Structure formats: C-alpha cells, structure tokens
Amino acid sequence: MKKLITLFIILLTLNVVGQEVARVEPPNWWTKMKNPDLQLLIYGENISKTDVVIDYPGVTLEATTKVENPNYLFVDLKMAKDVQPGEFEIQFKQGDKVVDSYNFELWDREQGSTNREGFNSSDVIYLITPDRFVNGDTSNDEVEGMKEGLDRDYNYGRHGGDIRGIINSLDYLQDMGFTAVWLNPVLENDMPEASYHGYACTDFYQVDRRYGSNEEYQELNEELDKRGMKLIMDLIFNHCGSEHWWMHDMPMKDWINNYPEMKITSHRRTVNEDPHASEADKKAMVDGWFVSAMPDMNQKNPFLAKYLIQNSIWWVEYVGLEGIRQDTWPYPDKNMMSDWTKQLLEEYPDFNVVGEEWTTNPAIVSYWQKGKLNQDGYKNYAPSMMDFPLQSAVSEGLRNEESFDFGLIQIYNALANDFLYPDPYKLTIFPDNHDMSRFYVQVGEDVDLLKMGVTFFLTTRGIPQIYYGTEILMRHDGSEHGDIRADYPGGWKGDKVNAFTGEGMSDAAKDMQEYVSKIQNWRKNADVIHDGKLMHFVPEDGTYIYFRYSDDEAVMVILNKNAEAKTIKTDRFNEVTNGYKSGKEIISGATISDISEVTVPAKSAFIVELAK
C-alpha cells in the first residue's frame, strides 16, 4: 500500500508545474485605466493543471481559460475604478498546495496620461533606423547569448547604433527644428541574420539589448519631453520573427496562419476594399506570410488580438509615447485593426496613429482613415495614414519634363484627390523613408530639386516626416535596403565625416543642413502652416504656386523648376493675396516691398510670409 501511495505522489508531482512561471504578459499594469479589463498570458510548464488564486482589493478574477497547449493559461481580470497601486500575488495551486506564484504590480497611472497630445501638423518627424544612426554605447554591440553580433562591414549586418546614441543626439535634432522622432522598431529581434531592421520581433515586451534597455527607452522619451519633442513607436501586428519565443511552443494551432505549411502572402492588398473579391483571395492575402522568416499572426484569434492591443497600450503607458506607426497596415485582419484603433483612442483620445498602406492609389489609402464612409460599412479609427500617393507624385513631378500631363501638374493632381480623404490635413507626408531610395537619389542627386521637394513637404498640408540624412545629402550606390539605411556620418568613433560637428562635410551638405534647419525652425512657430487652409493654382510655365492661409495670415510658396529666374505677376492669386502688400522671404531673409510681382531664382523654392 505504501508503494502505491508513493507512486501516486510521484505521478502527481509530474503533473504540477515543472518550473517557475516563465512568463506573465503584460508584466504589470496601471490603475485608473478607462478600460477595466485585463487579460494575462501566463506561460509555464503544465501551468494549465493549476488553479489561479488572486486576493487583492479591487481586482476581480473574471475567468481562467485553458487552451490546447497545457503550458498556457489566459487569465481575465477586472480592475475597480478605485483600485490602488501595489503588488499582489498570483498563486497557482493544485488542490490546497501553492505550486508557484508571481508577484504582479499595479502602477499608479500618471495624472494627465490620457490627455497626451499625439504628433500632429505642428510637428516635423525625424525618422531614424536605430542601428544606423549613432553608436552611443559600445558595450552593447555584442550581447552574449544573442544570435547575431556586430558586423559593420556588411550592409545587412548589425552596425551598433543604439538608443543611447539617439539620446546623445537630441540637442542636434532640436537645433535642426525637428519636433518628433519616429524610430524603426526597437523591440527584440533575436534572429540569426539581418536582424538590424527590427521588423521580426522575438519579444513584444523587451527592447533589443543591442539597442539598450526598456529603461533607456523610457529615458529617451523623458529627454524628448524636456525639449518639447515627441516619440513615435513602430509596431508590427501582422507578423513576428520566426525565432519568437512562442514559435517553439505555440498556445494554439491557429495562433499562426498557415502553420507549419507556410504560404507567402499574395500581396494583393486591394482585396480589403474590393467589393467583388473572393474569400479565397482575401485569405491568400491576409493569412499569407510576409516572408519566410516572419510568421503571419492570426489576429482573428481573440486571445492574440487582445494580446496585441494590450501590448500597444502597455508601451504607450510605460514609455509615454505620443504616437504609433503601424507597419504593413492592410495585412492583418482588418476587423481587429478597427478594434485596436478604437480601443487605443478611447484610452488616449488625443493620441495619433499612422498606418503604412503602400499604394499610389489615394482611394485605397483613404479607406483606412478615421471618418471615412466606406461602401462596405467598414470603419477604422486611425487619424493618419502615410501619404504614398503624394510622395510618388512629388518625386515624379520634380523629375519629369514639364508638359500638359507631366511635371508639376502631377503634384497638383495628387492634391486634387484630397476629396477622397476624411481629413487630408492629418495625413503623414514624406519625401522618402527606410524602404525606398533616398529622395536625393530619386531626383538624380540634383540638390536644387531636393530643396524644392523638402520645401514642399514642409509647407503643404499634412504632417511632414524626414528620413535621417536627408538634411546632409546622404546618398547610396546600391538599391538594397542595407544600402539605403547607411550609417549616419559622425555616429561612430573615427568617422572621417561628422554631421554633428561639420567636420569633413562638403559645402553642399552643410548648405543643405542649414537650409533644412532654417525652414524647420521657422515652421515651429508658423501656425498658418500647422492649421491653415491650402489653396493652390494650376502650374504654369514650370512654376507651381500655393498658399497656406487663415483669416489673419497667409504664406505664399513658389516652386520654380525652370533653368532661369521667373518673374511672377500675382494678380492671378487675388483670392488670397487681396489686402496683402509686402512680404518676407523665409529662406533668404529678403524683404519684398511689393508683392504684385515676385522674382524667383532658377530651380528654387520661395516661402513668402505676406504682410498687409
């Protein structure tokens, strides 16, 4: 009999948790959240064979869900409005025995957190690929146990840029007139190769240690706040990295689409809007993998959907973010994307979200913007989207020879499509980004055309974003991503060219840097550029003129593509200029005593503040 009892105890022991709880995600939460519900993902060996016990005033255990993998539990909690910050124990019991526990912390939510102002049209965003900007801490170049180390000679290797380097560079960015920073993803990408870009996340709650720590990410935002600047986080809901920790032990079979067979997406993104699309084609696009190293997450799984939504809210609250840029917007389940934007903005009404829908068709981009009345009844709540149609039009319009259908008229026509958008003034506009050839290269390395393009994006409607290095004429010979995302000069010890000090820079690069700084620092206080209306006039004779105006202010912008100076009579623009007599040109600082006609130098842009 004793032998039977002993055997029974051994068998019972094998059924209990065989190790400490490996993960609780999110790892903490906050009091005073508008949404009282919280779902914890608990991971540990045979954790589902336990019962969860919580005893903390104001915290109610609503449900515990066991799924097909016994190593997971999903625990639903509800927080009372008056729940107090503190720490409580989550116990995991078998019978009367506590076999493991986790101390969960509720933090006090900062006052005013819900009123955080998101990035908007008063901002100019500086986009940084962290690995390629500044190496501020060489001690994290190589991290023991991580799969990929430093290889600065390889264009797809890790080069050592990090959060500390960005913190050290904030005075430069502020002096240049940038008011917001968007970082390509900084979360852990413990992939065996080409992990520098950040888009194959392996831990949604951990900053990649080669970039720094979660605490340094917080510090970055604190330093930005001191300067009145904002931080935008790059998130990816569509996919994770193939080395994500859960890929080795998934909660459910449908956690990942097309697993383990793996099918690449069709990339036919228009199935989201197409009223005639088949379900088979929709599935082929949405459920397919982006690339073989990036498993496609199934946002139709309610547990995964909640996990991703809570993760984004956790980072907003933990770091103090002012915005999120969402990668590959049309690839996740679109109903989940609607739920996410709705819940996020209910928690943070003044927050901003911008999505990447890479198409030159404005009808497709407009489908996703908040307030759009779509034929199929679909509602999304993202205030902003990336304006790829305008980017393409400006690039082509500056490059192409002037004719009836080509040249500056392409820019005009792109803006004429603004009737498709619920709010075109909230779109994020840009000359280039980390996924395309640099704008300087797009316009044939013509500095004059680059200046015209940058001037346009800094003065037209929308929220401008500038990719790091545009201000110093960064270029590339190859067209691969690893070439486009080159190291910023001066970001590494021993660099012969230093854009922060000017050492080794060409006169042309210094001039461009000064040019961008002058416009952006003027723009900081130019309310009419932030909030004014836009009126433009059909391009004529290689010139394009538009105005930003309000009841009390007006700014005239002139783009002259001609190889010679142009004198422009302004009586055609009386709808805006009536009552204005003189002006000041921002770039040169020159005073224009009579605005009845304005002479603009060859291949240049003019920004004229009008005066009565």
Side-chain angles (χ1 to χ4, degrees):
M1 185 66 180
K2 287 183 178 179
K3 289 182 179 180
L4 288 174
I5 293 172
T6 302
L7 180 60
F8 176 75
I9 292 171
I10 291 172
L11 291 172
L12 182 63
T13 302
L14 291 175
N15 272 332
V16 303
V17 179
Q19 61 186 46
E20 292 183 358
V21 172
R23 290 180 179 269
V24 175
E25 294 182 345
N28 68 278
W29 205 244
W30 289 266
T31 62
K32 306 170 191 169
M33 300 295 280
K34 293 182 181 179
N35 185 347
D37 299 324
L38 176 66
Q39 185 175 88
L40 303 179
L41 179 154
I42 314 287
Y43 178 66
E45 189 177 345
N46 286 322
I47 194 71
S48 69
K49 298 183 184 300
T50 67
D51 295 316
V52 176
V53 177
I54 294 173
D55 184 12
Y56 188 77
V59 177
T60 304
L61 176 60
E62 295 282 295
T64 301
T65 305
K66 300 177 181 182
V67 294
E68 57 201 70
N69 186 336
N71 296 333
Y72 286 85
L73 276 177
F74 291 89
V75 176
D76 289 290
L77 306 178
K78 187 175 286 292
M79 309 291 174
K81 287 184 179 180
D82 59 352
V83 65
Q84 295 300 303
E87 182 177 286
F88 60 86
E89 186 180 41
I90 302 175
Q91 293 184 344
F92 303 92
K93 300 180 73 172
Q94 284 194 332
D96 294 331
K97 182 179 180 181
V98 177
V99 295
D100 209 341
S101 65
Y102 179 88
N103 290 332
F104 191 86
E105 294 184 0
L106 273 179
W107 295 355
D108 189 23
R109 191 179 198 187
E110 291 184 13
Q111 189 173 6
S113 169
T114 59
N115 299 322
R116 184 178 296 112
E117 182 184 57
F119 67 93
N120 55 48
S121 55
S122 70
D123 293 305
V124 178
I125 302 166
Y126 196 62
L127 167 57
I128 296 173
T129 301
D131 181 66
R132 305 299 171 86
F133 190 54
V134 178
N135 188 349
D137 181 3
T138 57
S139 69
N140 60 25
D141 289 353
E142 300 273 357
V143 175
E144 186 177 354
M146 300 200 80
K147 296 179 178 62
E148 188 177 20
L150 192 71
D151 188 357
R152 197 180 173 199
D153 294 329
Y154 178 39
N155 63 347
Y156 281 99
R158 287 218 168 235
H159 291 191
D162 48 37
I163 292 173
R164 181 56 54 192
I166 297 167
I167 292 173
N168 294 346
S169 308
L170 292 183
D171 286 346
Y172 167 74
L173 299 187
Q174 184 180 20
D175 290 344
M176 283 296 301
F178 294 103
T179 61
V181 175
W182 157 25
L183 305 184
N184 289 144
V186 296
L187 298 186
E188 183 190 273
N189 267 240
D190 195 12
M191 300 289 286
E193 61 182 355
S195 64
Y196 77 96
H197 54 72
Y199 287 97
C201 181
T202 57
D203 189 331
F204 282 99
Y205 281 95
Q206 181 65 49
V207 166
D208 195 296
R209 287 172 287 166
R210 290 160 294 190
Y211 290 149
S213 64
N214 287 13
E215 291 75 20
E216 280 182 297
Y217 197 21
Q218 283 181 317
E219 182 186 348
L220 170 61
N221 191 66
E222 290 168 1
E223 290 299 322
L224 285 164
D225 285 346
K226 291 177 184 176
R227 295 165 173 81
M229 300 171 71
K230 301 170 184 177
L231 182 60
I232 302 165
M233 186 178 192
D234 207 333
L235 285 181
I236 312 99
F237 280 1
N238 180 63
H239 51 262
C240 61
S242 56
E243 294 298 317
H244 191 286
W245 64 267
W246 62 39
M247 292 304 299
H248 305 289
D249 191 23
M250 284 192 292
M252 300 166 232
K253 292 176 182 176
D254 69 347
W255 196 255
I256 299 294
N257 289 315
N258 292 314
Y259 186 83
E261 295 85 4
M262 198 274 289
K263 294 179 182 177
I264 297 296
T265 174
S266 68
H267 294 289
R268 299 297 184 184
R269 301 187 306 277
T270 52
V271 297
N272 283 298
E273 300 84 13
D274 181 1
H276 316 295
S278 69
E279 291 302 317
D281 284 342
K282 292 177 184 178
K283 187 174 180 64
M285 205 295 286
V286 175
D287 291 356
W289 291 30
F290 204 73
V291 295
S292 60
M294 297 176 179
D296 191 77
M297 297 188 292
N298 177 21
Q299 301 82 23
K300 291 185 285 292
N301 180 306
F303 296 99
L304 178 60
K306 187 165 285 190
Y307 178 94
L308 293 172
I309 292 170
Q310 288 183 166
N311 176 256
S312 65
I313 292 172
W314 188 89
W315 280 111
V316 173
E317 197 67 34
Y318 178 82
V319 175
L321 302 173
E322 283 84 17
I324 289 173
R325 180 264 185 183
Q326 184 66 244
D327 185 60
T328 53
W329 189 278
Y331 288 84
D333 177 68
K334 70 180 188 181
N335 294 314
M336 180 268 179
M337 295 296 281
S338 175
D339 291 342
W340 168 59
T341 50
K342 186 172 186 290
Q343 290 185 43
L344 184 65
L345 292 172
E346 283 175 348
E347 199 67 58
Y348 305 99
D350 299 321
F351 196 72
N352 205 351
V353 174
V354 58
E356 179 204 31
E357 168 63 281
W358 195 337
T359 176
T360 58
N361 184 345
I364 300 298
V365 177
S366 71
Y367 180 83
W368 303 105
Q369 194 181 23
K370 181 180 180 181
K372 178 69 173 183
L373 299 176
N374 290 306
Q375 185 182 19
D376 62 0
Y378 178 75
K379 289 184 179 181
N380 201 38
Y381 299 88
S384 184
M385 293 296 292
M386 305 298 297
D387 195 348
F388 282 93
L390 185 60
Q391 188 283 328
S392 177
V394 176
S395 179
E396 292 185 15
L398 291 177
R399 290 197 313 268
N400 288 338
E401 292 293 325
E402 291 296 306
S403 68
F404 186 80
D405 291 318
F406 295 96
L408 294 171
I409 190 63
Q410 292 176 269
I411 304 174
Y412 178 93
N413 287 340
L415 289 171
N417 284 324
D418 277 359
F419 70 91
L420 293 166
Y421 297 106
D423 193 344
Y425 289 82
K426 290 184 178 178
L427 295 173
T428 300
I429 58 176
F430 53 99
D432 58 17
N433 65 22
H434 58 292
D435 285 328
M436 62 175 65
S437 291
R438 288 182 172 273
F439 196 73
Y440 185 40
V441 175
Q442 291 182 40
V443 295
E445 298 189 25
D446 184 320
V447 177
D448 293 330
L449 292 182
L450 174 65
K451 286 181 175 180
M452 274 190 271
V454 168
T455 300
F456 173 78
F457 283 109
L458 292 176
T459 55
T460 192
R461 59 92 175 125
I463 307 167
Q465 165 252 296
I466 303 294
Y467 192 36
Y468 79 98
T470 296
E471 79 278 16
I472 56 165
L473 305 181
M474 277 184 70
R475 58 176 303 281
H476 50 92
D477 291 319
S479 59
E480 295 183 352
H481 284 166
D483 303 317
I484 295 165
R485 305 161 184 172
D487 294 348
Y488 192 79
W492 279 256
K493 187 177 180 180
D495 283 357
K496 292 180 180 179
V497 177
N498 191 322
F500 298 105
T501 65
E503 183 180 357
M505 288 177 65
S506 68
D507 289 341
K510 288 180 181 178
D511 177 68
M512 185 66 192
Q513 195 176 42
E514 183 180 350
Y515 185 90
V516 173
S517 174
K518 185 172 291 185
I519 297 175
Q520 290 185 167
N521 279 295
W522 162 77
R523 190 186 189 281
K524 282 183 179 179
N525 300 309
D527 291 343
V528 72
I529 301 295
H530 308 164
D531 305 315
K533 297 177 182 178
L534 170 68
M535 183 182 293
H536 63 168
F537 292 79
V538 174
E540 292 181 352
D541 300 325
T543 63
Y544 175 40
I545 294 91
Y546 58 93
F547 293 82
R548 302 300 306 279
Y549 67 100
S550 64
D551 291 342
D552 304 313
E553 296 179 272
V555 170
M556 176 170 60
V557 183
I558 305 173
L559 304 184
N560 176 22
K561 266 180 70 179
N562 294 283
E564 65 280 340
K566 277 284 183 180
T567 298
I568 298 166
K569 295 186 180 297
T570 61
D571 54 336
R572 180 184 171 210
F573 317 129
N574 278 343
E575 291 168 75
V576 184
T577 58
N578 187 35
Y580 290 98
K581 301 184 183 302
S582 60
K584 178 183 178 182
E585 204 286 306
I586 297 305
I587 301 167
S588 65
T591 298
I592 301 172
S593 57
D594 181 1
I595 64 158
S596 62
E597 62 178 36
V598 178
T599 300
V600 184
K603 289 185 72 175
S604 68
F606 253 31
I607 304 172
V608 183
E609 279 186 324
L610 301 181
K612 295 181 178 179

mmCIF file of all heavy atoms in Angstrom, residues 14-32:
data_model
loop_
_atom_site.group_PDB
_atom_site.id
_atom_site.type_symbol
_atom_site.label_atom_id
_atom_site.label_comp_id
_atom_site.label_asym_id
_atom_site.label_seq_id
_atom_site.Cartn_x
_atom_site.Cartn_y
_atom_site.Cartn_z
ATOM 1 N N LEU A 14 4.618 14.875 -11.193
ATOM 2 C CA LEU A 14 4.886 15.063 -12.617
ATOM 3 C C LEU A 14 3.849 15.941 -13.284
ATOM 4 O O LEU A 14 4.104 16.539 -14.322
ATOM 5 C CB LEU A 14 4.938 13.693 -13.321
ATOM 6 C CG LEU A 14 6.142 12.804 -12.962
ATOM 7 C CD1 LEU A 14 5.995 11.461 -13.633
ATOM 8 C CD2 LEU A 14 7.454 13.458 -13.376
ATOM 9 N N ASN A 15 2.649 16.027 -12.686
ATOM 10 C CA ASN A 15 1.576 16.809 -13.280
ATOM 11 C C ASN A 15 1.591 18.280 -12.871
ATOM 12 O O ASN A 15 0.915 19.089 -13.460
ATOM 13 C CB ASN A 15 0.215 16.220 -12.888
ATOM 14 C CG ASN A 15 -0.206 15.147 -13.885
ATOM 15 O OD1 ASN A 15 0.181 15.192 -15.032
ATOM 16 N ND2 ASN A 15 -0.984 14.189 -13.415
ATOM 17 N N VAL A 16 2.345 18.623 -11.827
ATOM 18 C CA VAL A 16 2.359 20.012 -11.390
ATOM 19 C C VAL A 16 3.341 20.795 -12.240
ATOM 20 O O VAL A 16 4.068 20.257 -13.070
ATOM 21 C CB VAL A 16 2.740 20.138 -9.890
ATOM 22 C CG1 VAL A 16 1.791 19.347 -9.045
ATOM 23 C CG2 VAL A 16 4.189 19.724 -9.638
ATOM 24 N N VAL A 17 3.380 22.090 -12.009
ATOM 25 C CA VAL A 17 4.278 22.939 -12.757
ATOM 26 C C VAL A 17 5.703 22.470 -12.536
ATOM 27 O O VAL A 17 6.162 22.336 -11.399
ATOM 28 C CB VAL A 17 4.133 24.415 -12.316
ATOM 29 C CG1 VAL A 17 5.097 25.296 -13.073
ATOM 30 C CG2 VAL A 17 2.708 24.869 -12.521
ATOM 31 N N GLY A 18 6.419 22.227 -13.639
ATOM 32 C CA GLY A 18 7.741 21.661 -13.512
ATOM 33 C C GLY A 18 8.828 22.703 -13.362
ATOM 34 O O GLY A 18 9.985 22.358 -13.187
ATOM 35 N N GLN A 19 8.497 23.966 -13.454
ATOM 36 C CA GLN A 19 9.476 25.037 -13.320
ATOM 37 C C GLN A 19 8.731 26.286 -12.884
ATOM 38 O O GLN A 19 7.511 26.293 -12.777
ATOM 39 C CB GLN A 19 10.185 25.290 -14.656
ATOM 40 C CG GLN A 19 9.209 25.709 -15.754
ATOM 41 C CD GLN A 19 9.885 25.807 -17.101
ATOM 42 O OE1 GLN A 19 10.636 24.928 -17.491
ATOM 43 N NE2 GLN A 19 9.616 26.894 -17.814
ATOM 44 N N GLU A 20 9.478 27.344 -12.602
ATOM 45 C CA GLU A 20 8.827 28.597 -12.263
ATOM 46 C C GLU A 20 8.028 29.102 -13.460
ATOM 47 O O GLU A 20 8.340 28.783 -14.599
ATOM 48 C CB GLU A 20 9.877 29.631 -11.872
ATOM 49 C CG GLU A 20 10.586 29.323 -10.567
ATOM 50 C CD GLU A 20 11.561 30.423 -10.193
ATOM 51 O OE1 GLU A 20 11.685 31.387 -10.979
ATOM 52 O OE2 GLU A 20 12.184 30.311 -9.135
ATOM 53 N N VAL A 21 7.006 29.898 -13.183
ATOM 54 C CA VAL A 21 6.258 30.525 -14.267
ATOM 55 C C VAL A 21 7.249 31.296 -15.132
ATOM 56 O O VAL A 21 7.989 32.153 -14.654
ATOM 57 C CB VAL A 21 5.179 31.466 -13.699
ATOM 58 C CG1 VAL A 21 4.542 32.270 -14.807
ATOM 59 C CG2 VAL A 21 4.135 30.670 -12.941
ATOM 60 N N ALA A 22 7.289 30.958 -16.410
ATOM 61 C CA ALA A 22 8.309 31.533 -17.291
ATOM 62 C C ALA A 22 7.959 32.948 -17.722
ATOM 63 O O ALA A 22 8.833 33.807 -17.831
ATOM 64 C CB ALA A 22 8.492 30.635 -18.513
ATOM 65 N N ARG A 23 6.664 33.185 -17.985
ATOM 66 C CA ARG A 23 6.258 34.500 -18.489
ATOM 67 C C ARG A 23 4.870 34.868 -17.997
ATOM 68 O O ARG A 23 3.975 34.016 -17.974
ATOM 69 C CB ARG A 23 6.251 34.538 -20.014
ATOM 70 C CG ARG A 23 7.636 34.495 -20.635
ATOM 71 C CD ARG A 23 7.556 34.547 -22.148
ATOM 72 N NE ARG A 23 8.885 34.532 -22.730
ATOM 73 C CZ ARG A 23 9.616 35.617 -23.018
ATOM 74 N NH1 ARG A 23 9.102 36.817 -22.785
ATOM 75 N NH2 ARG A 23 10.821 35.517 -23.539
ATOM 76 N N VAL A 24 4.713 36.140 -17.656
ATOM 77 C CA VAL A 24 3.402 36.748 -17.442
ATOM 78 C C VAL A 24 3.397 38.021 -18.277
ATOM 79 O O VAL A 24 4.215 38.924 -18.076
ATOM 80 C CB VAL A 24 3.148 37.066 -15.958
ATOM 81 C CG1 VAL A 24 1.826 37.811 -15.794
ATOM 82 C CG2 VAL A 24 3.157 35.797 -15.117
ATOM 83 N N GLU A 25 2.490 38.090 -19.246
ATOM 84 C CA GLU A 25 2.445 39.241 -20.146
ATOM 85 C C GLU A 25 1.023 39.760 -20.284
ATOM 86 O O GLU A 25 0.116 38.946 -20.534
ATOM 87 C CB GLU A 25 3.014 38.855 -21.522
ATOM 88 C CG GLU A 25 4.494 38.522 -21.457
ATOM 89 C CD GLU A 25 5.108 38.170 -22.800
ATOM 90 O OE1 GLU A 25 4.348 37.895 -23.753
ATOM 91 O OE2 GLU A 25 6.350 38.161 -22.903
ATOM 92 N N PRO A 26 0.818 41.063 -20.098
ATOM 93 C CA PRO A 26 1.827 42.063 -19.760
ATOM 94 C C PRO A 26 2.410 41.850 -18.367
ATOM 95 O O PRO A 26 1.723 41.305 -17.490
ATOM 96 C CB PRO A 26 1.060 43.387 -19.848
ATOM 97 C CG PRO A 26 -0.368 43.028 -19.653
ATOM 98 C CD PRO A 26 -0.539 41.661 -20.230
ATOM 99 N N PRO A 27 3.649 42.289 -18.126
ATOM 100 C CA PRO A 27 4.308 42.022 -16.852
ATOM 101 C C PRO A 27 3.795 42.872 -15.695
ATOM 102 O O PRO A 27 4.073 42.576 -14.537
ATOM 103 C CB PRO A 27 5.778 42.333 -17.146
ATOM 104 C CG PRO A 27 5.729 43.324 -18.275
ATOM 105 C CD PRO A 27 4.542 42.938 -19.101
ATOM 106 N N ASN A 28 3.066 43.942 -16.002
ATOM 107 C CA ASN A 28 2.453 44.801 -14.982
ATOM 108 C C ASN A 28 1.321 45.563 -15.643
ATOM 109 O O ASN A 28 1.119 45.484 -16.859
ATOM 110 C CB ASN A 28 3.474 45.779 -14.397
ATOM 111 C CG ASN A 28 3.915 46.809 -15.426
ATOM 112 O OD1 ASN A 28 4.788 46.519 -16.253
ATOM 113 N ND2 ASN A 28 3.312 47.987 -15.410
ATOM 114 N N TRP A 29 0.578 46.325 -14.859
ATOM 115 C CA TRP A 29 -0.490 47.179 -15.421
ATOM 116 C C TRP A 29 -0.642 48.403 -14.557
ATOM 117 O O TRP A 29 0.156 48.617 -13.624
ATOM 118 C CB TRP A 29 -1.794 46.383 -15.533
ATOM 119 C CG TRP A 29 -2.740 46.912 -16.588
ATOM 120 C CD1 TRP A 29 -3.988 47.436 -16.393
ATOM 121 C CD2 TRP A 29 -2.523 46.933 -18.003
ATOM 122 N NE1 TRP A 29 -4.544 47.788 -17.596
ATOM 123 C CE2 TRP A 29 -3.676 47.494 -18.611
ATOM 124 C CE3 TRP A 29 -1.466 46.538 -18.825
ATOM 125 C CZ2 TRP A 29 -3.801 47.680 -19.984
ATOM 126 C CZ3 TRP A 29 -1.587 46.720 -20.197
ATOM 127 C CH2 TRP A 29 -2.746 47.278 -20.758
ATOM 128 N N TRP A 30 -1.671 49.221 -14.871
ATOM 129 C CA TRP A 30 -1.846 50.500 -14.188
ATOM 130 C C TRP A 30 -3.256 50.642 -13.609
ATOM 131 O O TRP A 30 -4.221 50.061 -14.137
ATOM 132 C CB TRP A 30 -1.600 51.661 -15.167
ATOM 133 C CG TRP A 30 -0.168 51.798 -15.545
ATOM 134 C CD1 TRP A 30 0.771 52.600 -14.959
ATOM 135 C CD2 TRP A 30 0.512 51.115 -16.606
ATOM 136 N NE1 TRP A 30 1.986 52.453 -15.572
ATOM 137 C CE2 TRP A 30 1.856 51.539 -16.594
ATOM 138 C CE3 TRP A 30 0.118 50.159 -17.546
ATOM 139 C CZ2 TRP A 30 2.812 51.057 -17.476
ATOM 140 C CZ3 TRP A 30 1.070 49.674 -18.443
ATOM 141 C CH2 TRP A 30 2.394 50.125 -18.404
ATOM 142 N N THR A 31 -3.337 51.441 -12.592
ATOM 143 C CA THR A 31 -4.641 51.836 -12.059
ATOM 144 C C THR A 31 -5.220 52.939 -12.934
ATOM 145 O O THR A 31 -4.526 53.524 -13.769
ATOM 146 C CB THR A 31 -4.503 52.361 -10.614
ATOM 147 O OG1 THR A 31 -3.670 53.543 -10.624
ATOM 148 C CG2 THR A 31 -3.857 51.317 -9.712
ATOM 149 N N LYS A 32 -6.494 53.233 -12.753
ATOM 150 C CA LYS A 32 -7.179 54.362 -13.396
ATOM 151 C C LYS A 32 -7.274 54.252 -14.912
ATOM 152 O O LYS A 32 -7.497 55.253 -15.603
ATOM 153 C CB LYS A 32 -6.503 55.695 -13.028
ATOM 154 C CG LYS A 32 -6.354 55.949 -11.538
ATOM 155 C CD LYS A 32 -5.469 57.148 -11.273
ATOM 156 C CE LYS A 32 -5.099 57.263 -9.805
ATOM 157 N NZ LYS A 32 -4.032 58.260 -9.587
#
